[in-house]
Amino acid sequence: MFYREAGQFKASYREDQQIFPIRQDRIGIVAAIVFFFLVVPLIANQYWLQAILTPVLIFSLAALGLNILTGYAGQLSLGSAAFMAVGAFGTYNFMLRMDGIPFLVALVLGGLCAAVVGILFGLPSLRIKGFYLAVATLAAQFFIVWVLVKFGWFSNHSTSGVITAQHVEILGYTFDSPLSKYLLTLAVVVVFALLAKNMVRSATGRKWMAVRDMDVAAEVIGIRLMGTKLQAFAISSFYCGVAGALYAYMYLGTVEPEGFNLDLSFKILFMIIIGGVGSILGSFIGAAFIVLLPVFLNVAMHTSLGEFIPANIAANLELIIFGGMIVFFLIVEPHGLARLWQIAKEKLRIWPFPH
Amino acid sequence: MQFKKSLMLGAAVAGLAVTGYAAAAEQYIGLPTYRVGAYAAGGTGLFGGWIDYMTMVNERDGGVNGLKLVWEECETEYNNARGVECYERMKKGGTTGNTVFQPLSTGITYSVLDRVANDKIPLVTMGYGRTDAADGRVFPWVFPLITTYWSQSTAKIKFIGMKEGGMDKLKGKKIVNIYHDSAYGKETIPVLDAQAKQYGFEVIHIAVAHPGNEQQSQWLRVRQEKPDWVILRGWGVMNPTAIRTAARTGFPRDKIVGVWWSGSEEDVIPAGDGAKGYIAAGFNVAGTDFPVIKEIQKYVYAKNMGNMEDKSRVGSVLYNRGVVHGIVTLEAIRTAQTKFGTGKALTGEQVRWGFENLNITDERLKELGASGFLPPLATSCMNHEGSGKVKFQQWDGAKWKVITDWIDSDQALVRPMIEESAAKYAAEKGITPRDCSKEM
């Protein structure tokens, strides 16, 4: 009843092909964008903007990148953090070595660097599949971090091997307040999320899904495996690279190659598993879940039991609860949290007269 | 833990700005602890010692000149993003906001480096973090106190020189530097190279990939090279493995000198008997024979208020390092009180002044019950390191034995490198260094 598309007739191809064909979805998306752009800045304080919302957005973008590769094109990857590192160090070097380059251009160029590296490490995917491919991308994870530490040029010969993000200025406005950083991150993430949404429902996305579901069948109906797989690797790495650059410029400020370690790759993988493999919305939900739940547990533990039990036990208890909740959600909904939303939509559509 | 005041946490969830409750003046300190994960052994020891020292001062003296200390823990899991979240959460804690941030993690140090200047919270990194922050003109808010990796590396060469019978005897000697293949491990390579040139010894750098639980090939290489000394710049599981492998390949352990991250009980006990004779640097020493540790046992553990679950760890290297953190932090507060007055909570800005004007002399250390526990320390606007001295301890199979007095670093070599690196950072970030003659 609330989510009924009956009566919404599509009279032209244009209407039939828009990103969100259902009116309720369109209203929902516009409302969400308006909320995050206009209402959140009014109600959120610095802590929320800087420590909660910005990282969630950045990890959502990285998860989106991995979701394109793993969820849509079916290629398992454990190198997401390394591609983020390429994006961050790429953007840094463009900013450093090309005088007066606009930040957004450097951001895209950094993403392109990650895309190129992604294609290189995607080449094995033409011969190996599944878990074996995961191992091959694991090589990317270790190799890229090693290269960034080994060759001083990437960090401008900093003795400690770290890079420090330069000031970001767009059209004379300096992005240094938490609010401006949040808004810039949000703008980039919204643009890329809409692009991704558009991609996965177009021919590109359908090719990915065909390859994912059965690559021999896809080849038989005329989809070039090499091009499709490498394209998925390129676009996925591009997204991760942009996320990495935002991680460095909009969130941390100073990053070290070791910050982009295997743990981070796993974290991004968990985001899409929890959020929903093969779902744009799932990337956002998964990132929010993985980033916010430990923080929430920590705060909850402090306010409730923190006074009575030793800190060591409290800290370990948080991890146990976190792990337990992941197991719980995966048992209740193996397809990820995004699936819950889909079920809710179905229910809303037929309420109050289920079959 | 009965003392922990959970301030404003619920409010932080609701996203509200809350002023702490108005009571007698209390100095709020936010502790970004890590009690779970791969580095939990370090985190529990370090923060345990620090918290115990603050509890002791509260119990014995009622705080610093009557200013009671309160603190709040936030679990970082040694993870950069979690560390930033903790930093932001605790920023507004207490009545004055967080007044000092000491993450005990180089990664988190870098992640909050840009933020501390805006928020006016001093960032103190004892024995880790960004070496060139010792130049206080470029980094007014960052304090790599006591000693940096570079200073400590020169002290190690000095120690080796002493053992060889003079710095001139280093000529023609061969030293192998076994390092963790990461930014942390590589940081001392330029200093060692410079010193090799200066003193005419040969230095060979051998990398060990993270995590370093297999080092057969590296130590075979050591055996081929037949060095006079080996410097171990390890981290985590790499340390016991290195010592064990050295024992297996027959390299004498008393010719291995470790960095302080390689010099705790946790590093040598897993290596068993093979660790006997192994030497490591440290800016604090192990043991319970110090009045300050005795006071902690008397005022804290006797009343069953200690932070350590395993009481046998009191007096271990990492625990004592936590006590050093407590001593230096509280001395900074005391120093700040001489300028800004007692009886009220200090702001981060005022505590920063305290850190910049520290002068912990030998006499003062004696009053604190910490003679020989940590080196004397004097900071200034120019010099945010303050000491550079380390002691060397040898593992006798059961405990660490101090084998040297405080050994000075070679500031003539290190300082210009620090200034050069800091100037490069300032140029990159567009920072104008402070003029120290105008600082008060």
Side-chain angles (χ1 to χ4, degrees):
Chain A
M1 168 170 174
F2 294 111
Y3 206 85
R4 200 170 46 187
E5 66 253 41
Q8 296 180 29
F9 301 109
K10 280 133 196 158
S12 64
Y13 284 117
R14 204 185 147 79
E15 276 178 18
D16 196 38
Q17 286 183 343
Q18 54 194 336
I19 304 187
F20 299 103
I22 302 171
R23 190 191 302 128
Q24 284 90 337
D25 278 343
R26 281 198 297 275
I27 297 171
I29 287 290
V30 170
I33 290 178
V34 167
F35 176 78
F36 280 105
F37 267 107
L38 299 179
V39 183
V40 166
L42 293 178
I43 56 173
N45 61 12
Q46 269 206 8
Y47 167 74
W48 271 88
L49 290 174
Q50 235 170 347
I52 304 284
L53 292 170
T54 308
V56 168
L57 283 172
I58 292 168
F59 283 120
S60 301
L61 190 61
L64 195 57
L66 183 62
N67 225 337
I68 287 174
L69 186 63
T70 305
Y72 286 99
Q75 312 296 313
L76 203 53
S77 161
L78 285 175
S80 333
F83 299 131
M84 284 176 76
V86 174
F89 278 76
T91 306
Y92 168 78
N93 278 297
F94 281 115
M95 294 279 279
L96 179 78
R97 291 169 209 283
M98 295 172 73
D99 235 3
I101 186 172
F103 173 69
L104 290 176
V105 175
L107 186 72
V108 170
L109 287 174
L112 287 177
C113 290
V116 171
V117 176
I119 290 175
L120 275 180
F121 282 96
L123 285 174
S125 73
L126 305 175
R127 298 299 293 270
I128 48 182
K129 285 178 202 157
F131 289 115
Y132 304 96
L133 179 62
V135 175
T137 52
L138 196 62
Q141 175 63 52
F142 288 108
F143 180 74
I144 290 169
V145 171
W146 177 80
V147 165
L148 293 176
V149 173
K150 173 83 182 167
F151 299 102
W153 185 84
F154 290 106
S155 55
N156 197 19
H157 302 284
S158 149
T159 43
S160 43
V162 299
I163 55 167
T164 303
Q166 298 92 341
H167 283 298
V168 173
E169 220 183 82
I170 297 175
L171 299 174
Y173 181 79
T174 313
F175 287 79
D176 50 5
S177 73
L179 179 62
S180 63
K181 284 183 175 178
Y182 161 75
L183 287 175
L184 183 61
T185 310
L186 182 65
V188 173
V189 172
V190 164
V191 168
F192 281 111
L194 288 176
L195 272 177
K197 182 83 190 161
N198 205 18
M199 240 176 320
V200 297
R201 63 180 196 108
S202 66
T204 319
R206 276 196 269 272
K207 275 188 203 163
W208 290 340
M209 285 182 264
V211 170
R212 172 191 69 189
D213 293 339
M214 195 175 180
D215 53 355
V216 177
E219 210 172 2
V220 166
I221 59 170
I223 294 170
R224 283 173 50 237
L225 282 190
M226 185 172 91
T228 313
K229 283 182 176 177
L230 291 186
Q231 184 192 36
F233 262 100
I235 293 175
S236 157
S237 312
F238 178 82
Y239 272 63
C240 285
V242 171
L246 290 175
Y247 188 66
Y249 278 82
M250 292 294 122
Y251 182 46
L252 290 186
T254 305
V255 290
E256 47 173 355
E258 275 92 18
F260 298 99
N261 54 12
L262 187 59
D263 281 358
L264 190 62
S265 285
F266 273 128
K267 228 173 166 179
I268 297 168
L269 187 63
F270 295 155
M271 284 173 193
I272 68 167
I273 293 174
I274 296 281
V277 175
S279 154
I280 303 287
L281 178 70
S283 315
F284 285 88
I285 300 176
F289 186 89
I290 297 281
V291 175
L292 297 188
L293 193 60
V295 174
F296 172 76
L297 285 175
N298 188 245
V299 173
M301 194 60 81
H302 272 273
T303 42
S304 59
L305 295 171
E307 300 274 342
F308 313 109
I309 53 176
N312 285 341
I313 296 177
N316 282 299
L317 210 55
E318 279 166 42
L319 272 193
I320 293 170
I321 297 173
F322 182 55
M325 286 181 85
I326 291 179
V327 173
F328 172 78
F329 275 110
L330 286 182
I331 290 174
V332 172
E333 192 44 78
H335 297 288
L337 297 173
R339 176 85 187 132
L340 288 177
W341 169 236
Q342 244 176 357
I343 294 170
K345 274 205 300 199
E346 291 294 323
K347 292 242 161 87
L348 284 174
R349 178 178 290 149
I350 55 179
W351 189 87
F353 302 115
H355 317 294
Chain B
M1 280 292 69
Q2 296 92 318
F3 284 86
K4 191 149 52 57
K5 302 275 195 292
S6 288
L7 296 171
M8 67 155 265
L9 279 165
V13 185
L16 296 167
V18 161
T19 51
Y21 54 86
E26 285 180 337
Q27 187 68 29
Y28 172 88
I29 294 171
L31 303 177
T33 56
Y34 43 98
R35 294 177 180 276
V36 294
Y39 308 117
T44 48
L46 281 159
F47 286 101
W50 186 0
I51 289 171
D52 281 345
Y53 183 76
M54 294 197 290
T55 313
M56 189 271 281
V57 171
N58 271 349
E59 285 294 302
R60 188 188 60 186
D61 314 331
V64 184
N65 292 326
L67 180 64
K68 212 164 160 53
L69 302 157
V70 291
W71 54 90
E72 175 194 355
E73 285 190 40
C74 180
E75 174 68 42
T76 67
E77 296 178 13
Y78 206 84
N79 170 319
N80 297 354
R82 288 290 298 277
V84 171
E85 193 275 329
C86 281
Y87 170 84
E88 294 289 340
R89 194 199 305 174
M90 298 191 295
K91 191 163 84 178
K92 292 257 160 41
T95 45
T96 52
N98 193 8
T99 44
V100 61
F101 194 74
Q102 312 196 33
L104 289 161
S105 145
T106 299
I108 299 175
T109 303
Y110 288 130
S111 305
V112 300
L113 200 69
D114 281 352
R115 295 167 191 252
V116 289
N118 287 332
D119 301 326
K120 305 210 180 308
I121 298 170
L123 174 66
V124 181
T125 62
M126 270 178 239
Y128 59 93
R130 204 180 162 111
T131 299
D132 56 8
D135 189 341
R137 294 170 301 176
V138 180
F139 296 90
W141 292 92
V142 189
F143 294 86
L145 284 174
I146 306 188
T147 173
T148 62
Y149 289 139
W150 287 353
S151 299
Q152 181 243 197
S153 182
T154 60
K156 266 194 245 172
I157 296 296
K158 227 173 224 177
F159 168 75
I160 293 173
M162 264 170 56
K163 283 277 177 187
E164 292 288 346
M167 294 310 271
D168 49 323
K169 297 279 196 318
L170 282 174
K171 201 169 180 68
K173 293 274 187 268
K174 197 188 258 183
I175 297 176
V176 162
N177 172 33
I178 293 207
Y179 66 95
H180 187 255
D181 198 5
S182 64
Y184 150 75
K186 291 173 67 152
E187 199 167 342
T188 52
I189 288 178
V191 177
L192 283 170
D193 285 340
Q195 286 203 299
K197 213 177 280 165
Q198 186 182 349
Y199 294 111
F201 61 86
E202 186 189 348
V203 59
I204 298 159
H205 305 288
I206 300 178
V208 175
H210 181 80
N213 45 10
E214 175 50 57
Q215 299 174 24
Q216 198 64 36
S217 61
Q218 282 90 350
W219 285 92
L220 282 178
R221 170 111 194 267
V222 169
R223 203 162 68 173
Q224 285 162 9
E225 298 283 356
K226 293 192 184 67
D228 299 282
W229 289 86
V230 166
I231 290 176
L232 178 63
R233 193 167 165 74
W235 173 233
V237 68
M238 173 181 162
N239 298 323
T241 312
I243 298 167
R244 239 193 337 250
T245 320
R248 214 180 308 137
T249 53
F251 188 82
R253 262 75 70 216
D254 57 356
K255 297 283 184 193
I256 307 177
V257 185
V259 65
W260 56 70
W261 291 123
S262 313
S264 67
E265 285 79 359
E266 286 76 5
D267 295 313
V268 286
I269 289 174
D273 269 352
K276 211 180 264 180
Y278 167 68
I279 300 167
F283 60 84
N284 65 291
V285 296
T288 51
D289 301 333
F290 296 92
V292 59
I293 303 290
K294 293 249 182 306
E295 298 269 276
I296 289 177
Q297 279 168 336
K298 180 173 151 201
Y299 284 96
V300 182
Y301 282 90
K303 294 187 192 169
N304 211 10
M305 295 188 312
N307 195 266
M308 301 298 292
E309 277 165 53
D310 178 4
K311 293 182 182 58
S312 65
R313 287 182 69 198
V314 173
S316 69
V317 170
L318 290 173
Y319 180 89
N320 285 6
R321 190 165 299 154
V323 175
V324 169
H325 277 78
I327 293 176
V328 173
T329 307
L330 264 52
E331 281 309 293
I333 291 172
R334 218 182 295 272
T335 310
Q337 281 176 335
T338 60
K339 183 177 160 94
F340 303 102
T342 55
K344 58 177 189 294
L346 298 164
T347 64
E349 230 169 336
Q350 290 165 338
V351 175
R352 190 204 75 84
W353 188 90
F355 275 113
E356 192 157 89
N357 293 281
L358 275 176
N359 189 12
I360 307 178
T361 58
D362 276 322
E363 293 81 68
R364 183 65 197 146
L365 282 176
K366 201 162 182 187
E367 285 166 36
L368 291 166
S371 278
F373 190 67
L374 71 158
L377 188 67
T379 50
S380 67
C381 163
M382 280 291 280
N383 181 353
H384 274 195
E385 182 178 4
S387 161
K389 292 187 176 63
V390 290
K391 272 189 185 178
F392 288 83
Q393 310 188 90
Q394 193 164 26
W395 181 251
D396 69 357
K399 62 175 193 312
W400 288 103
K401 232 172 57 206
V402 180
I403 53 171
T404 65
D405 200 0
W406 296 112
I407 291 185
D408 224 331
S409 57
D410 186 356
Q411 287 302 319
L413 175 79
V414 172
R415 186 69 200 181
M417 289 175 74
I418 285 176
E419 288 187 5
E420 185 195 345
S421 175
K424 196 166 122 194
Y425 176 86
E428 229 172 75
K429 290 285 280 184
I431 297 171
T432 323
R434 287 187 297 170
D435 182 357
C436 273
S437 59
K438 291 200 185 108
E439 287 290 320
M440 186 21 229

